[in-house]
Amino acid sequence: MSMVNWFKYASPASFYPLAGKLIPFFSAITAILLAVGLWISFFMAPTDFQQGEGYRIIFVHVPASWMSMFIYCVMAFWSALGFILNTRLSGMMTQALAPTGAMFAFLSLVTGSLWGKPMWGTWWVWDARLTSQLILFFLYLGFLALTSAIDDPRRRDKAGAILSLVGVVNIPIIYFSVIWWNTLHQGATVSMTKAPTMAHTMLMGMLIMALAFWGYTIAIVLKRVRCIILEREIASEWVKKNALE
Amino acid sequence: MNLFSTIYCMARRDLTLALRHKTEILTALFFFVIVVNLLPLGVGPDPKLLSKIAPGVVWIGALLATLLGLPRLFAHDYQDGTLEQLSLSPRSFTLIVLGKIMAHWIVAGLPVVLITPLLGIQFNLSGPIIGVLMLTLVLGTPVLSLIGAIGAALTLGVRGGGVLLSLLILPLYIPVLIFGAGAAEAYRAGLDMTGYLWLLAALDLLALFFAPWVSAIALKVALE
Amino acid sequence: MGGYGLYVWGSFGICAVAMIIEPIVLNARNQKIRRQVKRQGGQW
């Protein structure tokens, strides 16, 4: 039987060394993908006939936006798991993910605005996508503020889990309402239609950059969850014996 | 019926308590009136501009006025141990929480709805628009109290609770704000606004179904 | 970069800065907690 006993890794004591082994692996993947992705973004991808060289921002903007949304969903997944299985690791994972998700949401907003300035002549438009990205950033800030304000780790985990689940249920409603609002107030919109046929290499570069960001997220989250585990379990037997090996 | 008697008893108790501290109700109401009245001072007295932005302003005022009372929703009962007793009672804790939320709405939401015509007159709104605005507020403010209860439960007894509460809850209020202010805006522009009202009603049902339950879970976490 | 240099390098630059600072900050956090564990181990 080659069934992996997943529950074994739900305990921080056995997840800690596993995470330690996985970090170099994902760091290496990230480095390779980043090198390939950057090479495609700057040397292989042709200059766009409409947007010139400016479009190259999508190679970081789109992956950052994807990651910010994806990370929130993963947070909700861990939260749900934490509620169903009552594992301690889930709360730690959720809290390890949040700062990186917030960072990507912020990067998405900044690069979007740096893209918008030359393309539409303004740093910010109240477009549906930009607005919902901003709201996602606020949701991350709320999560970070709540979890950092609660001292008791058990309550912090549970409260964070409830908030991220409430957030993930609300995101589609918020997104729908923002689109609705945007179509009502036509005046503020700027046409954002991308080039209809995105060149093959462009798409390729974007996907590879997205995978690189994904690897980066895994490596950094594992690193952070290791810190959190040590901080929480500092008084326990296994930390004293094994953690520093 | 047991179900309704639980909600009713709890709401009545909270209302009785609230009526003993009338200043708290009046504070939220005057806060709302003052916020809305500051606006002409900020953007100028042009009647056309004012009547255009009035629905949005009234709605933002309503959001803030609801927020003002939320930190106190569970705080008193939490401090003196009543909340713990209530959570141990054989009656459904979710329904008890719903009763408290209803009391909060009657204290914070309803006065806002009732004073809106006065503000509408100040902002040069016509009778029918004031009616639409009040209708959206009647439909929308319960959602504010319901969602707000989740935030109040999560931040109960936490450092910097009040500010934290606003940070958690305001992004979740966005759909209500959009549909609420949007309906009045659509009506003013001569568009069909029934869609907005249905959406607000749908939000009401969703929040009514989920929010007391989630708040009750969050409160139990806080009480552990 | 055809006149877009500031925007393109700005975007890639801020991403690079963020993705370099985050690991550094995390390393510092890791060192700090490991020192604490070590100190505690000594007392043990």
Side-chain angles (χ1 to χ4, degrees):
Chain A
M1 280 296 281
S2 61
M3 270 286 283
V4 183
N5 184 7
W6 291 104
F7 282 97
K8 185 185 156 210
Y9 292 108
S11 112
S14 48
F15 187 74
Y16 185 83
L18 175 73
K21 272 179 226 147
L22 289 174
I23 291 171
F25 174 70
F26 280 103
S27 307
I29 289 187
T30 307
I32 296 167
L33 285 172
L34 214 52
V36 176
L38 285 173
W39 186 66
I40 294 179
S41 333
F42 284 109
F43 300 109
M44 263 179 78
T47 306
D48 189 72
F49 75 101
Q50 273 178 326
Q51 310 192 350
E53 304 289 347
Y55 88 93
R56 292 189 198 276
I57 292 172
I58 63 163
F59 292 120
V60 283
H61 172 69
V62 173
S65 315
W66 282 349
M67 283 315 297
S68 65
M69 290 180 242
F70 179 60
I71 289 175
Y72 204 94
C73 296
V74 178
M75 278 168 63
F77 166 78
W78 282 106
S79 301
L81 211 63
F83 256 100
I84 297 165
L85 301 176
N86 209 10
T87 48
R88 272 182 306 153
L89 186 64
S90 316
M92 301 188 199
M93 281 304 280
T94 315
Q95 281 151 53
L97 281 157
T100 305
M103 185 195 84
F104 278 127
F106 176 73
L107 285 178
S108 154
L109 288 170
V110 173
T111 54
S113 145
L114 281 165
W115 193 11
K117 183 62 185 164
M119 295 306 151
W120 320 314
T122 165
W123 294 106
W124 182 262
V125 284
W126 288 98
D127 164 83
R129 258 183 286 181
L130 287 172
T131 311
S132 27
Q133 190 66 27
L134 183 66
I135 295 164
L136 181 65
F137 181 56
F138 290 157
L139 289 177
Y140 273 119
L141 290 187
F143 180 90
L144 290 171
L146 179 69
T147 46
S148 60
I150 302 177
D151 294 322
D152 172 40
R154 271 184 63 83
R155 184 174 174 199
R156 191 194 309 154
D157 287 354
K158 290 255 172 78
I162 293 172
L163 185 65
S164 59
L165 286 171
V166 168
V168 93
V169 169
N170 268 282
I171 283 174
I173 302 175
I174 294 174
Y175 187 65
F176 168 74
S177 70
V178 168
I179 290 177
W180 180 290
W181 161 81
N182 197 250
T183 46
L184 180 78
H185 301 271
Q186 282 292 344
T189 48
V190 172
S191 153
M192 283 238 297
T193 43
K194 288 210 196 93
T197 48
M198 197 188 266
H200 207 67
T201 38
M202 269 192 212
L203 193 65
M204 189 72 178
M206 227 161 69
L207 283 175
I208 289 177
M209 285 299 277
L211 282 174
F213 279 27
W214 173 82
Y216 167 86
T217 306
I218 294 181
I220 208 94
V221 165
L222 288 176
K223 182 102 184 158
R224 188 175 290 117
V225 87
R226 268 166 68 95
C227 290
I228 295 176
I229 290 175
L230 278 192
E231 284 160 8
R232 289 240 188 126
E233 312 251 312
I234 189 161
S236 69
E237 225 28 55
W238 72 269
V239 171
K240 286 172 192 161
K241 279 185 190 148
N242 308 322
L244 295 182
E245 280 161 15
Chain B
M1 261 187 66
N2 202 358
L3 195 135
F4 290 109
S5 78
T6 308
I7 302 174
Y8 174 75
C9 287
M10 200 62 226
R12 219 185 94 164
R13 168 191 173 270
D14 270 27
L15 279 178
T16 317
L17 285 176
L19 284 176
R20 287 196 196 141
H21 307 276
K22 289 191 191 63
T23 41
E24 284 188 13
I25 308 178
L26 291 175
T27 311
L29 189 61
F30 281 128
F31 174 79
F32 170 67
V33 171
I34 290 172
V35 164
V36 174
N37 271 297
L38 279 182
L39 203 93
L41 301 174
V43 301
D46 176 24
K48 268 179 96 174
L49 177 68
L50 285 182
S51 68
K52 182 167 162 36
I53 57 176
V57 175
V58 167
W59 258 100
I60 287 177
L63 293 191
L64 297 177
T66 321
L67 269 181
L68 210 59
L70 278 175
R72 284 191 301 271
L73 180 52
F74 303 114
H76 288 315
D77 287 347
Y78 179 64
Q79 274 154 12
D80 64 14
T82 316
L83 200 65
E84 189 151 14
Q85 297 297 318
L86 288 172
S87 77
L88 297 173
S89 87
R91 304 216 174 184
S92 153
F93 192 41
T94 305
L95 291 180
I96 292 176
V97 172
L98 179 58
K100 291 185 83 67
I101 298 172
M102 283 177 73
H104 175 264
W105 178 73
I106 293 172
V107 170
L110 197 58
V112 164
V113 178
L114 296 177
I115 201 126
T116 298
L118 188 67
L119 297 169
I121 293 168
Q122 282 188 302
F123 277 78
N124 206 22
L125 294 181
S126 69
I129 294 186
I130 293 178
V132 170
L133 195 56
M134 282 177 77
L135 186 60
T136 62
L137 282 168
V138 166
L139 283 171
T141 44
V143 185
L144 302 182
S145 294
L146 284 160
I147 298 178
I150 300 177
L154 284 173
T155 56
L156 193 57
V158 169
R159 266 181 278 128
V163 185
L164 187 59
L165 174 65
S166 349
L167 190 60
L168 302 187
I169 290 306
L170 282 176
L172 303 178
Y173 278 178
I174 289 165
V176 187
L177 173 67
I178 289 176
F179 296 137
E185 179 66 33
Y187 181 80
R188 222 174 56 90
L191 301 169
D192 181 31
M193 54 148 200
T194 43
Y196 291 90
L197 299 181
W198 282 116
L199 284 167
L200 277 176
L203 288 180
D204 266 317
L205 285 179
L206 263 177
L208 192 64
F209 191 76
F210 286 110
W213 175 60
V214 176
S215 310
I217 295 174
L219 283 175
K220 288 209 166 141
V221 169
L223 288 169
E224 260 172 22
Chain C
M1 281 286 135
Y4 293 118
L6 181 68
Y7 305 108
V8 174
W9 293 123
S11 299
F12 279 81
I14 193 163
C15 289
V17 167
M19 287 165 84
I20 289 167
I21 287 180
E22 199 185 12
I24 291 175
V25 169
L26 213 49
N27 254 326
R29 184 174 169 184
N30 193 29
Q31 293 300 326
K32 193 181 152 211
I33 183 70
R34 285 176 79 92
R35 265 200 305 279
Q36 272 177 11
V37 172
K38 227 174 253 167
R39 217 175 303 139
Q40 212 191 28
Q43 286 166 0
W44 182 248

